[in-house]
Amino acid sequence: MPISFMLNKGKVPVKIFTADVDSASLTQLGNLSQLPFIHSHIAAMPDVHAGIGATVGSVIPTRGAIIPAAVGVDIGCGMNAVRLSLKASDLPDNLYSIRSAIEQRVPTGFDQHDKPSTQGATLKNMEKHLDAITDKHPALIKMVKNFHRTWGKQLGTLGSGNHFIELCIDESDDVWVMLHSGSRGIGNAIGRYFIEKAKKDVGRELGQLPDKDLAYFTEGTQHFDDYVQAVGWAQDYAMTNRREMMRLVLDALQTCQHLPTFTTTREAINCHHNYVQQETHFGAEVYVTRKGAISAQQGQLGIIPGSMGAKSYIVRGLGNEQSFCSCSHGAGRRMSRTEAKRRFNTRDLEAQTAGIECRKDKGVVDEIPGAYKDIDVVMQNQADLVEVVHTLKQVVCVKG
């Protein structure tokens, strides 16, 4: 489906790839379009919903400025997926042992490893570059308990909220491992720290912004350069976190007595959906912030997950410039976590996740499928942005 409609209330238009957009999101998109450094237009993906300052599911090209709150605090959050040589028929009838093996190997929620699971040159190189950031911004160290030990111990951990690890079956009965996580506590601290710095840097102009969470850094200033350095580090950390977590999950599966020996295929994807990077669009070098969106360059593979109990998709980008070569990062929330907990209970969760080996307690009711948009409709709305390569259905889901 092409652009559903356009919002023309600001300095640039907003091109929206769905008609299913709430008033709060329209307000946020309108606020973004009033900023003087937006290039060409703003694109809103089919999973669009209200965020903090900037809308989740938005693609924001900027010239000479970056908005830290648009990147958010889960910097580099994204997906990793790999196809295994296993078939659905290789899986045991009772999948609890598989979920348990994964949960024992990968810390979830607030848990972390007793010691860093990633060793050697990788850890030392990350530490060296992080020290260069904290030397200039020592206040960051106070924002994470046991800062120097915690970030290393959280590599290869899941976290909570909408993060997950899943075992899925595709249309050919091939087994996939798919996971979703980001930059953990250190990324959250970097995000919060620089969001507040941006508010202070704009000073008296903060009150003139349509939303204080749209405070920005201007290119050429110290904090702009420092943020680019810090956000780049956090994005690399998130990528490494997913890579390490995938290694641990595959190790856990190899130890399961009920599974035959397996290998991984060459089809593997590791992609961000909360990040900023330099790209060229409509004749200009710009900073593209994807807040709840993934890159969908021509031929590029990506991952679009549904909710617990819904289908997910491996896709190939079509390179649509109107979306800045982007697509949705998932189904997108239809309601807040508070509203989901008010509206649904554990019985609803059990019904909506029938046949899936996963937690079904009140601690994850806010992640119930009913709190999300219909992933099939979301996919229909972005037929001009991506083509489906594989359709996945989860059979095991691990949540924090």
Side-chain angles (χ1 to χ4, degrees):
M1 180 180 290
I3 296 164
S4 182
F5 70 95
M6 290 176 57
L7 192 63
N8 290 293
K9 296 183 178 180
K11 298 180 185 298
V12 297
V14 180
K15 300 181 180 182
I16 306 175
F17 287 83
T18 179
D20 183 11
V21 53
D22 60 275
S23 59
S25 296
L26 289 173
T27 297
Q28 288 187 334
L29 291 167
N31 288 342
L32 277 168
S33 71
Q34 295 177 41
L35 300 176
F37 45 79
I38 304 294
H39 172 64
S40 179
H41 64 277
I42 294 165
M45 302 297 98
D47 59 341
V48 62
H49 58 281
I52 298 175
T55 321
V56 180
S58 59
V59 185
I60 310 160
T62 56
R63 299 186 71 179
I66 294 178
I67 309 165
V71 180
V73 297
D74 197 359
I75 299 169
C77 185
M79 301 291 303
N80 194 354
V82 62
R83 184 168 54 169
L84 309 181
S85 60
L86 296 174
K87 288 288 188 178
S89 57
D90 293 321
L91 300 178
D93 292 335
N94 189 332
L95 296 170
Y96 175 76
S97 62
I98 291 178
R99 177 162 76 96
S100 178
I102 295 171
E103 290 172 340
Q104 288 175 29
R105 191 63 63 92
V106 180
T108 63
F110 292 105
D111 292 341
Q112 59 190 31
H113 295 287
D114 293 332
K115 60 182 180 180
S117 62
T118 301
Q119 304 291 332
T122 298
L123 203 64
K124 289 181 179 179
N125 187 56
M126 294 180 72
E127 185 173 28
K128 174 185 174 182
H129 287 93
L130 180 59
D131 286 345
I133 296 167
T134 56
D135 284 348
K136 290 182 286 186
H137 298 278
L140 271 169
I141 296 172
K142 299 178 182 178
M143 296 179 68
V144 178
K145 187 178 180 180
N146 299 320
F147 180 91
H148 292 292
R149 295 192 296 273
T150 297
W151 70 266
K153 292 179 179 180
Q154 286 189 339
L155 271 175
T157 67
L158 182 63
S160 56
N162 61 353
H163 296 159
F164 61 78
I165 301 167
E166 290 183 345
L167 210 65
C168 305
I169 308 298
D170 72 9
E171 69 288 342
S172 299
D173 281 343
D174 288 330
V175 177
W176 291 68
V177 176
M178 182 171 70
L179 57 85
H180 172 210
S181 191
S183 51
R184 306 295 286 109
I186 181 64
N188 183 281
I190 288 171
R192 289 186 290 117
Y193 178 83
F194 280 101
I195 287 170
E196 291 307 311
K197 282 289 183 186
K199 291 177 181 178
K200 291 179 181 178
D201 279 12
V202 297
R204 286 178 294 181
E205 294 181 28
L206 185 64
Q208 300 173 21
L209 291 173
D211 187 322
K212 66 180 181 179
D213 285 313
L214 297 180
Y216 55 90
F217 294 125
T218 303
E219 194 169 20
T221 62
Q222 177 191 343
H223 286 156
F224 180 96
D225 293 337
D226 291 353
Y227 179 68
V228 169
Q229 179 185 18
V231 79
W233 185 91
Q235 288 169 187
D236 289 343
Y237 178 97
M239 189 75 73
T240 304
N241 179 43
R242 289 193 293 274
R243 192 176 295 119
E244 177 62 12
M245 207 182 327
M246 181 62 76
R247 183 186 71 81
L248 294 171
V249 171
L250 295 178
D251 285 350
L253 295 179
Q254 293 283 15
T255 65
C256 289
Q257 296 180 352
H258 301 294
L259 288 178
T261 302
F262 64 88
T263 59
T264 59
T265 72
R266 290 181 294 176
E267 197 163 18
I269 309 123
N270 196 344
C271 59
H272 296 318
H273 55 226
N274 286 347
Y275 70 112
V276 59
Q277 69 179 17
Q278 283 188 290
E279 299 178 10
T280 300
H281 292 281
F282 297 101
E285 189 81 9
V286 294
Y287 291 95
V288 175
T289 298
R290 291 185 175 92
K291 184 179 181 70
I294 66 171
S295 178
Q297 301 281 348
Q298 181 73 43
Q300 183 178 19
L301 290 177
I303 308 165
I304 303 177
S307 59
M308 295 171 65
K311 287 178 284 189
S312 298
Y313 295 89
I314 305 298
V315 298
R316 183 179 290 112
L318 298 178
N320 189 320
E321 266 295 325
Q322 296 303 312
S323 70
F324 302 100
C325 301
S326 308
C327 66
S328 82
H329 80 311
R333 293 196 73 91
R334 184 171 295 283
M335 64 188 70
S336 69
R337 295 184 182 281
T338 300
E339 176 65 14
K341 289 177 180 178
R342 187 191 69 80
R343 189 174 298 190
F344 298 107
N345 56 39
T346 55
R347 291 189 300 276
D348 299 317
L349 182 63
E350 289 172 2
Q352 293 185 29
T353 59
I356 300 168
E357 176 55 54
C358 64
R359 287 177 57 188
K360 301 178 190 284
D361 57 83
K362 65 179 181 180
V364 292
V365 166
D366 56 347
E367 282 294 299
I368 192 170
Y372 285 82
K373 294 181 180 181
D374 186 329
I375 187 64
D376 290 328
V377 174
V378 169
M379 295 305 297
Q380 290 168 14
N381 287 336
Q382 54 190 338
D384 285 1
L385 309 183
V386 293
E387 61 179 352
V388 174
V389 180
H390 296 292
T391 301
L392 310 183
K393 184 68 177 71
Q394 73 270 64
V395 292
V396 175
C397 179
V398 173
K399 300 287 286 189

